[in-house]
Amino acid sequence: KSRRGNSSTKNEPPNSIAVIGGGITGLATTFYAAQRFPSAKVTLFESTGRLGGAIQSETINLANGERAVCEMGPRTLRANAPRAAVTFGLIQKLGLEADVVKTYKSDPIASHRYIYYPDHLVRIPVANTSKSVAHVPAPDRFSSTSFWCLIKTLGREPLFRGLAVGIMRGLCIGPANENLGDESIDSFLTRRLGKQITKNLFSAVIHGLYAGDMSKLSARALLPGMWTLDKQLLNDGVLKTLLSRDSKDFQEKWAANETEFLNRVRQDSTHSLAKQFDTVGVFSFRGGVARLTERLEEILQTMQNVAIKMNTKIRLLTDDWSSHTFVTHTISTLSLSRTMNLFSTSPPLFTPSHVPVMAVTLCYATPALNHPHRGFGYLFPTSLPPGQNAEHALGVIFDSDALPPIDKFTGTKITVMLGGHYWSHHAPSSLPSTESGIAMAMSLLKRQLGISEEPVAAVARLEVEAIPQYAVDHFTILGDAHKVLSQFGGKVRVAGNSYGGIGVHDCLFSAR
């Protein structure tokens, strides 16, 4: 086939589909493509000897006979996220309903969340007051006790200094220049709320979500609702925006393009599973999130029109790729930079835009070692005093409290996330070893939580390209990528977490 394709044939049903990349997106893409085109041959190419990508649930057999499941990648899925409908449908197709385990929004422990500042844990009271934060395992409203706790916390903790001024600033300050196409999260939030709150609170949140540097991440791509509201303020003014119905629906506006698709997804599957998640905060599977990728692999092995080629790396998509491989359509689920660089030997079309993250899970025999700080875990802001985060930690997750019952381990399980943008300038060969990561995590927990007990098990995994970074002008970058793909007349497509969301739900949505 010609590299530029043929506009008269680009909509013809595919005869042979190549899916590049065997992570969660690649597995799901192969499954959906094989189902939709049963007469087409679908071949999945994976460059390593393992499927599943970033999802890895490692089971450790302990000396006392217990087994501990340690999540080295994604650890939970948000139950009420808009794109969860795709995941529910896939769970039903794969027959995984009985394997689902849940943490409810009303859970009195899992709803506790903390930020470490300046030298201690500060609890952040949380409630699900709207659907926009329904993924947080927390009660639907503040109780009188929680509300009083919130007032006291806001008044005495240095973490919240500047909050009142920041809120007033957000209401009064003018919006951005109308010609501004994008800006960094740091610039956007500092302009709206002030530097202190941005550094203390929001940098911690960005660490937890993206492991990224706020000064480099796109506000338009990652804060679409706030970005749209800011633009509306420019057009309508503060008072009209706050009083108008449109201001309440700004989050729906930016997501309007996918609403019709999600409605079709919901119609294709029964609503019984979705209804079971109305009161659920997060969920996983018995044995860990990897049960999802394992089941996909099991099903694909039984499909007559599917072939899986392991340890097969696709290095270049040339003009004669189709004629040499008899492939009519190609779907790349690799990262944006790796996909774009399949079309050129040198110079690279796109530079890599991921940060490395090391997950270190420590299992202790004694239960509730994190008492009195029971809860989901805590995050680190960039404003910490020197020496308080020498390990370059992003966050600490109290797995024993936060995760659904994926195993029957009775002790304390804690995961420390290290690196992110702090390690982004390191060459892969100069990144800390897993042994060093374990030592750093133990040192951190001893200093901050007073945990001196030796763990009965410790496991670490370094993912060099862990989380894609949606840089400022992300949509301009996507536009440039689209121009490259358009040369193939619709025969080459992309899916994955480099484009419109980094979570498991986003990957499955993209695949579907």
Side-chain angles (χ1 to χ4, degrees):
K1 301 294 181 182
S2 165
R3 174 170 178 164
R4 295 190 177 275
N6 187 316
S7 59
S8 64
T9 61
K10 69 179 182 179
N11 292 323
E12 291 182 357
N15 295 321
S16 180
I17 304 169
V19 179
I20 305 176
I24 179 65
T25 310
L27 289 166
T29 298
T30 303
F31 174 77
Y32 288 130
Q35 278 203 325
R36 182 173 179 181
F37 304 105
S39 62
K41 183 69 173 180
V42 184
T43 306
L44 173 63
F45 294 91
E46 167 54 38
S47 64
T48 71
R50 173 186 164 274
L51 295 171
I55 294 178
Q56 183 175 344
S57 307
E58 187 167 335
T59 301
I60 300 176
N61 296 312
L62 303 175
N64 64 356
E66 292 184 343
R67 293 194 304 171
V69 176
C70 301
E71 296 285 18
M72 297 289 97
R75 51 209 337 100
T76 56
L77 291 82
R78 298 177 295 166
N80 289 348
R83 293 174 174 177
V86 177
T87 306
F88 294 151
L90 183 62
I91 289 172
Q92 290 176 315
K93 287 178 180 293
L94 299 178
L96 284 175
E97 295 97 326
D99 290 330
V100 173
V101 290
K102 308 166 185 174
T103 295
Y104 291 89
K105 289 185 284 187
S106 59
D107 189 301
I109 294 179
S111 61
H112 296 173
R113 292 160 186 262
Y114 305 86
I115 289 178
Y116 189 87
Y117 186 86
D119 58 2
H120 61 279
L121 271 64
V122 180
R123 181 179 164 187
I124 311 298
V126 177
N128 285 313
T129 56
S130 72
K131 289 185 178 180
S132 63
V133 292
H135 60 274
V136 178
D140 290 331
R141 61 183 60 86
F142 283 116
S143 65
S144 58
T145 302
S146 298
F147 184 76
W148 178 239
C149 177
L150 172 62
I151 296 300
K152 290 194 296 182
T153 301
L154 293 177
R156 72 169 180 257
E157 289 292 346
L159 176 68
F160 298 103
R161 285 176 186 161
L163 179 60
V165 174
I167 293 174
M168 293 302 297
R169 178 188 178 98
L171 292 173
C172 300
I173 196 170
N177 186 294
E178 61 179 355
N179 296 321
L180 186 64
D182 198 0
E183 65 181 310
S184 71
I185 292 178
D186 182 66
S187 171
F188 178 85
L189 292 176
T190 299
R191 174 167 56 81
R192 277 274 155 215
L193 300 173
K195 184 175 181 179
Q196 194 167 21
I197 286 300
T198 298
K199 298 295 186 185
N200 287 355
L201 287 177
F202 286 96
S203 68
V205 174
I206 296 301
H207 276 169
L209 293 175
Y210 306 107
D213 180 353
M214 289 195 305
S215 68
K216 297 179 180 179
L217 296 177
S218 165
R220 182 181 175 189
L222 300 178
L223 303 177
M226 296 179 70
W227 179 266
T228 302
L229 179 59
D230 193 66
K231 291 297 184 183
Q232 188 175 349
L233 287 169
L234 178 65
N235 296 326
D236 299 340
V238 174
L239 184 60
K240 183 177 179 181
T241 298
L242 292 177
L243 295 179
S244 69
R245 170 169 168 74
D246 286 343
S247 67
K248 299 177 182 178
D249 295 336
F250 67 84
Q251 191 170 16
E252 297 176 14
K253 284 185 175 181
W254 71 263
N257 288 338
E258 66 186 57
T259 299
E260 182 181 351
F261 173 80
L262 288 174
N263 286 336
R264 292 203 307 271
V265 169
R266 296 183 182 100
Q267 292 170 3
D268 290 343
S269 60
T270 65
H271 293 279
S272 58
L273 187 61
K275 289 181 179 179
Q276 296 175 23
F277 285 83
D278 285 346
T279 59
V280 175
V282 296
F283 68 96
S284 184
F285 303 88
R286 289 188 177 88
V289 178
R291 182 67 188 119
L292 182 60
T293 54
E294 291 166 358
R295 182 59 177 164
L296 274 167
E297 182 181 357
E298 292 168 4
I299 295 296
L300 292 178
Q301 297 285 6
T302 68
M303 301 180 80
Q304 296 299 314
N305 62 331
V306 171
I308 300 176
K309 295 186 178 295
M310 305 296 292
N311 298 301
T312 305
K313 186 172 183 178
I314 308 301
R315 300 185 183 277
L316 196 64
L317 294 182
T318 59
D319 291 354
D320 55 357
W321 154 255
S322 297
S323 59
H324 281 180
T325 60
F326 305 102
V327 167
T328 59
H329 291 73
T330 301
I331 306 171
S332 174
T333 67
L334 305 179
S335 67
L336 172 62
S337 60
R338 289 186 180 275
T339 295
M340 292 298 106
N341 291 331
L342 290 174
F343 309 125
S344 175
T345 52
S346 62
L349 293 175
F350 289 75
T351 56
S353 57
H354 286 63
V355 291
V357 174
M358 183 183 293
V360 181
T361 299
L362 304 172
C363 301
Y364 299 92
T366 304
L369 270 181
N370 53 315
H371 180 80
H373 301 294
R374 304 293 300 277
F376 188 90
Y378 61 99
L379 298 170
F380 296 89
T382 57
S383 56
L384 281 175
Q388 290 292 347
N389 189 18
E391 296 83 1
H392 291 152
L394 303 164
V396 174
I397 304 165
F398 301 144
D399 291 333
S400 303
D401 295 340
L403 270 61
I406 59 176
D407 58 24
K408 295 184 178 180
F409 179 62
T410 58
T412 302
K413 191 193 312 176
I414 300 176
T415 296
V416 180
M417 310 300 292
L418 302 169
H421 68 96
Y422 292 117
W423 293 355
S424 61
H425 301 296
H426 292 259
S429 59
S430 65
L431 290 169
S433 65
T434 53
E435 291 79 9
S436 297
I438 291 172
M440 286 190 287
M442 291 176 61
S443 173
L444 182 91
L445 296 184
K446 182 177 182 180
R447 185 176 72 251
Q448 296 180 349
L449 299 180
I451 298 177
S452 57
E453 179 178 321
E454 284 292 315
V456 295
V459 59
R461 179 192 182 195
L462 173 64
E463 187 74 25
V464 176
E465 295 185 4
I467 301 178
Q469 302 293 284
Y470 291 8
V472 175
D473 292 326
H474 176 69
F475 292 107
T476 300
I477 296 171
L478 295 189
D480 294 339
H482 182 70
K483 292 176 183 176
V484 175
L485 295 172
S486 296
Q487 299 177 32
F488 292 85
K491 301 288 186 174
V492 178
R493 312 223 174 178
V494 296
N497 64 1
S498 288
Y499 309 100
I502 68 169
V504 173
H505 292 316
D506 302 312
C507 290
L508 296 178
F509 171 84
S510 180
R512 175 70 184 268

